[in-house]
Amino acid sequence: MVLLAGLLVLTGCGSAGTAPAPAAGGAVDHAAGRTEVPADAQRVVALDENAGLLLYELGKQPVEALGTFSSVGVKEILTQAGTPVEPADFAAPPVERVAALNPDLIVGSATPGAIEAYPRLSQVAPTVLAGYSDPWSKQLAVAGAAVNKADVAQQRTATLQTKIDDTRRELQERGIAGQSVSVLGSISGFPFALPSESSAGELITGLGLTRPKAQAPGAPMTEGGIAVSPERLSEHDADHILVLTGSMWSDKEITGLPTAGQLRGPKATVDGEQWTNTNPFAVDWMLRDMRAVLLNDGTVGTGADVVARWRQYSGAS
């Protein structure tokens, strides 16, 4: 199981960022350095599910993805699309297994384990690591440059950014802009809030919405989340309260607290796996949930919707 630190410390911005120069058999600047990549890699290995999903979005099927993040939903997407997902240690990528796949390119997220293993991975094949805490658009751009799909990355980025901009305008027109949104979760009895610096937090801010003071930028974090004291739960009250649920997230550990009455805003449960992720699909997922909660447009997604939502998002049949 991925620890809270693994899920949240790496979370980052959800807005557009500076993209690297596209490469066609040239050099790619990425989170671990600069790498010369092949012009048309045929055997690409994804070091984690996030990287695998980025590759699929770009139209490049990896021969295998490692289950570094223990992501149930993304694993289902990848396996149904024909890419096996093998268990892997978050702290230490299995370099020998990767080498046995005979890749001509390795693409992954810049987790601490991947950064540490980067020199050995680079001896196996050219390796590109996208910053997991980078804006979603930059992650997509780095992966696009690595597999000579920079044009696809730019198109996908423009499409998602337009959705975000359109929703922001609609919230303004409906008089909802400026309202506050609180995002709370609990794993194994540890209640926390998603920080403003997370991908979810950046999206909320980017839509012209606000956060409770206790979740404002710069709020102190523990293992990547803002620790929530049940006795001071009122500090996390908001106009809209989103509570994470799913395989390792317990919404009942928030709503069942004796002090839960301090949260007076309307509550909705949202999928913890997607709301703690940083890839473009997760940002689109969060945007759809926000539209459902704030604009009564559609429904909030659950883990059972992951494949259907991916097909809608990616345009896959």
Side-chain angles (χ1 to χ4, degrees):
M1 177 180 292
V2 179
L3 298 177
L4 177 62
L7 290 165
L8 298 180
V9 167
L10 296 173
T11 56
C13 303
S15 56
T18 303
V28 176
D29 293 318
H30 57 97
R34 186 176 177 87
T35 298
E36 294 286 337
V37 298
D40 186 22
Q42 296 299 307
R43 294 187 59 80
V44 184
V45 172
L47 289 180
D48 53 82
E49 306 95 308
N50 189 68
L53 207 60
L54 289 173
L55 291 168
Y56 260 110
E57 180 163 353
L58 294 164
K60 193 73 171 182
Q61 180 173 355
V63 295
E64 183 172 293
L66 300 180
T68 302
F69 295 129
S70 301
S71 175
V72 177
V74 179
K75 178 180 179 180
E76 186 176 2
I77 292 171
L78 294 175
T79 53
Q80 286 205 16
T83 292
V85 179
E86 295 298 325
D89 187 348
F90 178 82
V95 178
E96 293 77 11
R97 176 172 183 81
V98 173
L101 295 169
N102 193 29
D104 50 15
L105 179 66
I106 301 167
V107 178
S109 301
T111 65
I115 292 290
E116 183 177 353
Y118 176 71
R120 289 180 293 140
L121 289 165
S122 296
Q123 292 177 355
V124 174
T127 301
V128 173
L129 301 180
Y132 194 79
S133 60
D134 281 345
W136 58 267
S137 57
K138 186 172 182 180
Q139 293 183 46
L140 192 58
V142 168
V147 296
N148 195 20
K149 297 279 189 178
D151 55 339
V152 179
Q154 291 167 359
Q155 292 166 4
R156 300 292 301 177
T157 296
T159 298
L160 181 51
Q161 190 60 53
T162 296
K163 291 181 182 179
I164 295 171
D165 294 342
D166 288 348
T167 299
R168 179 186 176 98
R169 280 193 294 271
E170 193 168 349
L171 291 172
Q172 290 173 335
E173 292 167 358
R174 298 273 290 272
I176 300 172
Q179 292 185 7
S180 58
V181 178
S182 177
V183 187
L184 300 170
S186 183
I187 297 178
S188 301
F190 171 62
F192 63 91
L194 290 186
S196 291
E197 294 82 359
S198 69
S199 186
E202 288 286 347
L203 176 62
I204 291 168
T205 302
L207 291 173
L209 301 162
T210 63
R211 304 297 299 281
K213 185 177 180 180
Q215 298 174 20
M221 290 187 282
T222 301
E223 294 189 334
I226 300 169
V228 172
S229 168
E231 292 74 23
R232 302 172 65 178
L233 201 56
S234 61
E235 295 178 354
H236 297 273
D237 195 18
D239 296 314
H240 307 276
I241 300 168
L242 307 179
V243 184
L244 307 183
T245 189
S247 58
M248 66 179 73
W249 295 268
S250 173
D251 56 294
K252 298 297 189 293
E253 290 181 4
I254 297 294
T255 59
L257 287 170
T259 54
Q262 296 179 17
L263 298 175
R264 301 183 181 277
K267 303 170 189 66
T269 55
V270 295
D271 185 72
E273 182 173 308
Q274 300 305 327
W275 275 78
T276 56
N277 214 320
T278 67
N279 60 58
F281 172 59
V283 173
D284 182 80
W285 181 292
M286 290 184 272
L287 182 63
R288 290 182 63 174
D289 285 355
M290 294 289 287
R291 291 189 62 86
V293 171
L294 300 174
L295 298 169
N296 197 29
D297 177 20
T299 58
V300 172
T302 70
D305 301 321
V306 66
V307 173
R309 277 202 172 191
W310 167 255
R311 288 173 176 165
Q312 293 166 358
Y313 168 74
S314 66
S317 58

